[in-house]
Structure formats: C-alpha cells, structure tokens
Amino acid sequence: MLRSKSALAFPGREDEKEKSMKGKPDKQRWPEMLSPEDRIAEAKEKTRKIVDHLLHVIAVHESNRALLFSDTLAKQVPPSHAAHTFNLLCDNQYRYELVRLCALWDPSKPDRESIPTIAALVDSDAVRTLLAEETQRHWVQLPARVIPSDEGSDDEVQKLAESIAHAQSAAFGVKQAQKALHWLKSAKRMETRVRRCDRYLALVDSRDRYIAHNLSFAAARKAPLTTAKYGDDSWLLALSIRIIDRLNLGICGANFDWNGSQKIAEKRALNFWNGVSLKVLG
C-alpha cells in the first residue's frame, strides 16, 4: 500500500497531531467561558453604560417628537426650494434615532453594550443566584438604625430594638433578593420576545436597507411580510426602558426615574424647537 509523501517524510507526525488535538478541551462560547463572578462584573459595567446610551436615545426621541410630529416649524416652511433641506433635516434626525435605538439591540458579543449582551451575561442560574445573594447580603449588613428615646433607655432595651431592626432588614433582604430574581427572569423573557417580534425585525430591516447599508430588494429580510411604520420607534423605546430598568434593578440594585428623565428631555426639546423662527429665502 502506498504511503503519502508527507507520511514518508515525517513518520508518526499525524499520530502525534491527533493525540495533541484530543488532549485539548473544546473551546467554550462567550459568555459561558467566563466565571459567574466575571459575568456579573461585566454585566454591571455594561448596564451602567447602557443606561447612559438609553438616556441619549430618550433625548433624541423627544427632540424628534417636537421637530417631526409638530407643525410649529413645518408651517414656517412654505412650498419652496428650501423645503427640501427642511425635509432632509427631519429625515436625518429620524434616521439617527433609529440607528441609536437599534444599537441598543445589537446581538450579544463581548464588545457590544446592548440589551441582548447583558441578558446573555446573566442568563445563568449560578449568576442569578449570586446576584440575589448579593442583594440579600446588602440589606443584612446594613447597620441597625434605632432612634433613641428622649427619655432614654437602658442597654437591654437598646439591644432588643437593634435586634428587631436587624431582623426586619434581614427579612426585607430576602424579599429584595426574590424581586431581583424576578426582575432578571422577566427581563430575559421580554428581551427574547422582542428579538423574535416582526415589528422589531422590520425596524432592523429598515436600518439595514436604508441607513446602515444599501441592500438590494433581493437581499434577505428578517421580517419579509412586515414593514416598519412611524410609531414603531416609540414602541421599541418604551420596551427598552422597561427591560433596562429590570436589568438595572436586578444587576446593580439601582432604580432610575425614567419617567422624570423623559419629562426633562421633552421640556428641553419643546423649549428649543418652539423657540426657533425660520425665514425661508426661497
């Protein structure tokens, strides 16, 4: 039987290669390759950053509501050559919002600060258990705060009051830990439903076809039977706020006044756009 040239030149090389390959463990996928502690640390960092990204999108959204969906400026621009530039301004503003909004939903990757990335990092029973324990430990370790009576009290009464306060904190910590688990699981379910929703996929199609790329009509679409419409951006933004709020509570143990932030962004946008006067030259 003939042997290959390489086998003749290097006897035993192939057997050695096979043995070395068998001894190597299979490469784990991200984020499974990370320890639960590392996954939590990365999730906390990305959650804090995505809160800032979301606040920016909220500001852009409120600015676009005042610019695009109000006739305050539009009625100052009569049919003219200048109207083309005004329409271009509105179109660019709206496209930018879609780009930043869809970026919040980029697929999970180590270098992405997105909702799917954070959801993937905490999609583990071990990770969720550690986060719940961390939440519970925070409340248990809080020093007991007992306001002393004006009339004074002896040491035994003071110790009893501190013991009761500590027990209440511990019980509250258990409830907060259970809530953290609920928030994390709820956020993951919502994130999965959004990524599979044709309404969301149609927005991504619009982003890919008309903004990020110039895809031909023959290119495959994620939602071939659905077309993005005005208002879908508001729908996706509202869901993004709800999901990020749950992730922020479950991972960082922090609450955020999203409603207040939206009102501030709306006030700033109206103060600017309603104060703008246009003089069209022709």
Side-chain angles (χ1 to χ4, degrees), residues 22-266:
K22 289 180 180 179
K24 292 183 179 179
D26 294 335
K27 186 177 180 181
Q28 286 184 304
R29 297 177 56 188
W30 186 92
E32 287 80 6
M33 60 184 293
L34 302 176
S35 67
E37 292 79 9
D38 289 340
R39 291 173 71 159
I40 290 174
E42 193 166 338
K44 286 185 177 182
E45 181 183 1
K46 291 184 183 297
T47 300
R48 296 187 185 102
K49 290 181 178 179
I50 205 172
V51 166
D52 293 333
H53 295 324
L54 182 55
L55 288 173
H56 177 68
V57 175
I58 288 173
V60 174
H61 180 75
E62 293 301 331
S63 176
N64 283 345
R65 284 184 60 198
L67 173 63
L68 276 65
F69 303 107
S70 170
D71 63 352
T72 302
L73 287 178
K75 65 185 179 183
Q76 299 182 44
V77 183
S80 59
H81 294 291
H84 294 283
T85 299
F86 177 75
N87 291 335
L88 181 63
L89 169 65
C90 295
D91 185 60
N92 286 341
Q93 286 294 108
Y94 187 68
R95 290 182 182 221
Y96 177 73
E97 179 183 346
L98 290 185
V99 168
R100 298 306 302 154
L101 180 59
C102 290
L104 294 176
W105 289 89
D106 279 343
S108 61
K109 290 184 179 180
D111 60 348
R112 301 289 175 88
E113 295 167 3
S114 66
I115 293 174
T117 299
I118 299 172
L121 283 167
V122 298
D123 188 21
S124 161
D125 290 337
V127 171
R128 287 191 289 262
T129 299
L130 285 179
L131 284 170
E133 291 175 351
E134 181 181 303
T135 300
Q136 182 177 352
R137 188 165 53 250
H138 166 77
W139 292 101
V140 171
Q141 293 177 349
L142 284 178
R145 299 180 61 185
V146 179
I147 301 175
S149 172
D150 294 337
E151 299 177 356
S153 59
D154 56 30
D155 293 340
E156 291 186 4
V157 174
Q158 182 70 16
K159 290 180 180 179
L160 178 60
E162 291 178 356
S163 177
I164 293 174
H166 182 75
Q168 290 175 340
S169 295
F172 186 74
V174 172
K175 292 182 179 180
Q176 292 302 109
Q178 293 172 346
K179 286 184 178 180
L181 285 174
H182 169 73
W183 289 323
L184 292 172
K185 292 179 180 180
S186 173
K188 177 58 182 176
R189 288 194 299 269
M190 293 175 66
E191 178 261 347
T192 301
R193 287 199 296 267
V194 170
R195 286 192 296 108
R196 295 174 178 174
C197 178
D198 283 348
R199 196 174 182 183
Y200 157 71
L201 294 174
L203 278 175
V204 177
D205 281 336
S206 294
R207 192 264 315 258
D208 291 346
R209 286 178 173 273
Y210 307 115
I211 306 174
H213 310 288
N214 295 322
L215 300 181
S216 66
F217 283 101
R221 295 176 58 187
K222 295 178 177 62
L225 302 179
T226 308
T227 303
K229 303 176 179 62
Y230 283 113
D232 288 347
D233 53 304
S234 299
W235 165 80
L236 184 59
L237 178 58
L239 281 175
S240 301
I241 292 173
R242 290 178 60 190
I243 295 172
I244 292 177
D245 184 53
R246 283 163 169 75
L247 291 172
N248 196 32
L249 284 165
I251 297 171
C252 301
N255 200 355
F256 199 88
D257 185 10
W258 297 106
N259 187 49
S261 297
Q262 287 177 291
K263 289 181 179 179
I264 291 173
E266 179 185 15

